[in-house]
Amino acid sequence: MIKRKATKKYYFTVEGETEKWYLDWLRERINECADSDYKVSFDAQVQKNPLKRAKSLAVTGKTEIWHLSDYESDEPIHVRQFRETMDNMKAASSLGKQISYKFGYTNLTFDLWIILHRIDCNGAQAHRRNYINAINRAYDEKFESMDEYKHEDNFKRCLGKLSLDNVRTAIAGADAIMERNRDNGYSLCEYKGYKYYKENPSLAIHEIVGKILENCGLAES
């Protein structure tokens, strides 16, 4: 008799549909993998305000939620939005619900994480729209804009070219970026207990993805 796998549940808030589609894809790849020690369940909601999400969440016991967000630029409006996100995460952790918010940020955008599944992306970008060149190179596509790439059918076609091995590649690439930032002497900013680099590229989303693979016994191929 085949032993039924237990399920590990993870909580997310994300700021866009592409992040949600990616998490759906990752869940499916893990759950179809015979080598995984567990099934996974992702409670992921598109919600820019972590505090609003935390208030609506009925949980008992300690609950960790990861918020996936972008540091889009050094422009005042984007810096303010980024700090407001951290303000709300801090406030969510003080509701008395035993909720702890973790920050899976990406600088400049979540698209950096998607690119790292297929190729290195170590150079700084002046604008988030410039990632389209790396997207096309990584996925052998000819998208004319980021909007075209983020169309559901197109984005999911790119996901269809990936495997869990590509996820491991992305984690290694993200680790290398963060190590390079440390070696270059960049200052790690801290606000409300959350740490991040103002310089791009930098990211933290790989921390939770790596943790999920490790928990499932899939960290190494």
Side-chain angles (χ1 to χ4, degrees):
M1 182 177 179
I2 298 176
K3 183 179 179 181
R4 185 175 180 179
K5 294 179 181 178
T7 298
K8 286 186 174 291
K9 189 170 186 176
Y10 300 88
Y11 292 87
F12 297 89
T13 47
V14 300
E15 297 195 351
E17 293 290 346
T18 53
E19 292 92 332
K20 178 67 164 58
W21 295 333
Y22 174 82
L23 290 173
D24 290 344
W25 171 86
L26 180 62
R27 181 198 65 228
E28 292 172 6
R29 297 293 79 75
I30 292 173
N31 288 344
E32 71 183 12
C33 181
D35 293 332
S36 180
D37 294 335
Y38 295 92
K39 296 284 188 180
V40 295
S41 170
F42 294 164
D43 187 330
Q45 183 180 106
V46 179
Q47 172 58 261
K48 289 190 176 183
N49 188 334
L51 180 58
K52 186 177 293 186
R53 163 70 158 151
K55 286 181 176 178
S56 68
L57 194 62
V59 293
T60 57
K62 294 183 179 180
T63 303
E64 182 179 273
I65 310 176
W66 280 77
H67 185 75
L68 307 189
S69 179
D70 296 337
Y71 185 102
E72 295 190 23
S73 78
D74 289 328
E75 296 176 11
I77 185 173
H78 290 146
V79 173
R80 185 175 70 251
Q81 290 172 349
F82 194 69
R83 288 199 167 194
E84 285 175 353
T85 294
M86 290 183 282
D87 286 337
N88 286 323
M89 285 194 294
K90 182 67 174 179
S93 298
S94 303
L95 285 176
K97 289 188 174 185
Q98 299 188 72
I99 289 173
S100 172
Y101 248 107
K102 305 294 185 180
F103 203 12
Y105 84 95
T106 312
N107 184 351
L108 289 169
T109 75
F110 178 73
D111 311 298
L112 167 65
W113 173 245
I114 298 299
I115 292 165
L116 289 173
H117 285 64
R118 302 264 290 197
I119 62 173
D120 289 334
C121 190
N122 302 323
Q125 297 291 341
H127 195 280
R128 53 195 179 279
R129 64 172 171 263
N130 295 346
Y131 281 119
I132 192 60
N133 297 319
I135 288 287
N136 284 333
R137 189 167 71 254
Y139 289 89
D140 193 26
E141 295 285 353
K142 296 180 180 179
F143 300 127
E144 294 185 359
S145 67
M146 293 299 288
D147 285 342
E148 182 183 1
Y149 145 71
K150 291 185 178 183
H151 186 279
E152 184 173 2
D153 289 344
N154 293 336
F155 185 79
K156 288 185 176 180
R157 183 171 71 249
C158 291
L159 291 179
K161 300 177 182 181
L162 300 178
S163 68
L164 289 178
D165 279 338
N166 295 110
V167 179
R168 299 181 190 101
T169 296
I171 293 169
D175 282 336
I177 285 173
M178 297 302 273
E179 183 176 356
R180 189 177 303 110
N181 288 345
R182 290 190 292 271
D183 291 344
N184 287 339
Y186 296 155
S187 296
L188 191 62
C189 300
E190 183 170 353
Y191 180 79
K192 296 294 179 73
Y194 299 102
K195 297 180 180 181
Y196 62 96
Y197 284 109
K198 291 178 64 177
E199 293 83 6
N200 81 77
S202 62
L203 66 170
I205 183 176
H206 62 296
E207 294 176 7
I208 179 57
V209 177
K211 180 178 179 179
I212 292 169
L213 292 192
E214 184 175 352
N215 289 346
C216 292
L218 296 172
E220 297 181 3
S221 56

